[in-house]
Amino acid sequence: MVRWRSFYRKLAKNKAALIGAVFIIFFFILAIIGPYITPYDPITPDFSKTFQGPSAEHWFGTDDKGRDILSRILDGTRLSLFIGISATFLGAVTGVILGILSGYYGRWLDSLIMRLCDVLLAFPGILLALAIISILGPSTMNVIIAVAFYAIPSFARIVRGSTLGVKKLEYIDAIKAVGATDFRIIFKHILPNIMSPIIVQTTLYIASAIITSSALSFLGLGTTPPDIEWGRMLSEGRSYIAQAPHITLFPGIAIVMVVIGFNLFGDGLRDALDPRTKN
């Protein structure tokens, strides 16, 4: 209880983290209610209203097909966040399992898992994602798999290091001495004690996942129509950036805001969960 009070106190004092939390909460609310409050149909074209700039009728203007950009951003919030969070969750779960196994058992299993992680980390994230998408083909699920794949080695390395530290503690030896199984030791005693770096890495990686998935959609290798995703909106408006910059401006701002929110909040969590920082 004292530890959690200290955590909340540190987090509350971090103004940047609070700003990040406000951004995150704002976009989560939009993801929930966005599709129900869109002022116009975000999918159906209206060619009588193409390339209209921001106005009282269309706050963010319209695109090359006359669709309201605000409506499309609101509708696309859910999918953009879903891809980022789902990819991070999938990568985190896989990476945590591999990292714990590597750190706890060591020996040949440790060497095998770490060498596989080294191979994956040798490729830039976007290039690895592009290679996977090229094999699997563009779709929302394949984007999630591709982005999650690169998250695995990062989580595995962090968890392995934390596991090695906890495994050396005396109480772990005592638990082994009374006959506790490896499963019980790993999931009841080691995993709860290494959650702090996992939580921080998860929060920070969501921002990277959103950027990567948006980049894939921008290149035409992400989500497919009629699904609305911010990166695809950027791609659709790049041909008209000179005559109608608002088509790319507002989806770009949405991406920047949500990424900044997760980064600020993740940095705040890291400081709050670090026992070396002062209360």
Side-chain angles (χ1 to χ4, degrees):
M1 182 64 70
V2 174
R3 181 181 177 184
W4 283 108
R5 286 178 182 174
S6 175
F7 163 73
Y8 287 123
R9 188 160 51 246
K10 291 178 183 178
L11 191 62
K13 290 180 179 179
N14 192 321
K15 297 298 189 296
L18 293 180
I19 293 174
V22 170
F23 281 8
I24 293 172
I25 293 171
F26 172 73
F27 279 103
F28 267 108
I29 292 174
L30 287 186
I32 295 172
I33 68 174
Y36 305 105
I37 62 172
T38 53
Y40 299 92
D41 188 333
I43 298 176
T44 305
D46 184 355
F47 292 102
S48 64
K49 297 181 178 180
T50 58
F51 300 115
Q52 291 187 5
S55 63
E57 183 180 4
H58 298 281
W59 289 4
F60 290 178
T62 61
D63 63 8
D64 59 307
K65 296 179 177 63
R67 298 169 298 191
D68 183 65
I69 294 175
L70 174 59
S71 299
R72 290 177 63 77
I73 290 176
L74 291 174
D75 193 86
T77 302
R78 179 179 297 180
L79 182 58
S80 296
L81 288 181
F82 173 76
I83 292 174
I85 293 173
S86 298
T88 302
F89 177 78
L90 181 60
V93 170
T94 307
V96 167
I97 293 174
L98 293 177
I100 287 183
L101 294 176
S102 177
Y104 185 79
Y105 290 105
R107 298 181 181 180
W108 66 268
L109 183 60
D110 181 29
S111 298
L112 175 62
I113 293 175
M114 287 301 101
R115 296 301 74 77
L116 290 175
C117 290
D118 290 340
V119 171
L120 293 178
L121 290 173
F123 298 92
I126 186 65
L127 291 182
L128 183 62
L130 282 171
I132 296 173
I133 287 294
S134 299
I135 297 172
L136 300 179
S139 73
T140 299
M141 183 54 63
N142 290 344
V143 169
I144 293 174
I145 294 173
V147 177
F149 209 78
Y150 189 70
I152 294 173
S154 300
F155 280 96
R157 281 186 169 277
I158 291 173
V159 172
R160 173 185 178 271
S162 300
T163 301
L164 288 173
V166 175
K167 188 178 72 169
K168 296 177 181 178
L169 298 178
E170 293 182 356
Y171 84 93
I172 297 296
D173 293 330
I175 295 170
K176 289 181 180 179
V178 298
T181 63
D182 289 345
F183 184 87
R184 180 180 179 86
I185 293 172
I186 289 173
F187 290 100
K188 187 171 182 178
H189 298 284
I190 293 181
L191 184 59
N193 284 287
I194 62 173
M195 284 303 298
S196 294
I198 295 174
I199 293 172
V200 172
Q201 178 66 10
T202 299
T203 306
L204 292 173
Y205 192 81
I206 290 175
S208 298
I210 291 173
I211 292 177
T212 304
S213 62
S214 297
L216 291 173
S217 295
F218 181 81
L219 296 172
L221 297 172
T223 58
T224 56
D227 292 338
I228 303 173
E229 196 268 340
W230 293 339
R232 175 165 288 279
M233 292 180 66
L234 289 176
S235 178
E236 292 171 348
R238 62 180 171 175
S239 300
Y240 314 102
I241 195 167
Q243 66 182 102
H246 62 275
I247 298 178
T248 56
L249 174 63
F250 293 108
I253 290 175
I255 294 173
V256 169
M257 286 182 63
V258 73
V259 169
I260 288 176
F262 278 106
N263 279 330
L264 290 177
F265 188 65
D267 288 339
L269 280 179
R270 180 170 52 201
D271 294 339
L273 292 170
D274 190 347
R276 294 170 294 182
T277 58
K278 296 181 180 179
N279 293 339

